[in-house]
Amino acid sequence: MSVDPLACEANGVCAGIAPDVFDLDENDELVILRPEVPAADADRVRHAVRSCPKAALRAED
């Protein structure tokens, strides 16, 4: 899992969908809390990645 910091606008869409994986810090920068996503959460995290309005997230399969 990775984020392109130049593309990310910290909209927080991903954090709203998967708050246990994504968060915004005090500087409104995206933080990936769990880079290794358990299989049980994979669909929800993929949805969060696809929902990024700036396509700033990448999920490695």
Side-chain angles (χ1 to χ4, degrees):
M1 178 91 48
S2 64
V3 60
D4 178 348
L6 298 176
C8 181
E9 291 183 342
N11 293 305
V13 173
C14 58
I17 295 170
D20 55 323
V21 177
F22 305 102
D23 195 11
L24 298 175
D25 68 12
E26 62 277 351
N27 297 318
D28 277 341
E29 293 182 8
L30 183 67
V31 177
I32 298 174
L33 302 172
R34 294 171 49 201
E36 300 290 327
V37 179
D41 295 331
D43 287 340
R44 184 171 50 95
V45 172
R46 277 193 291 273
H47 174 63
V49 169
R50 285 191 309 267
S51 298
C52 178
K54 300 306 284 184
L57 295 168
R58 297 282 178 262
E60 292 81 30
D61 290 326

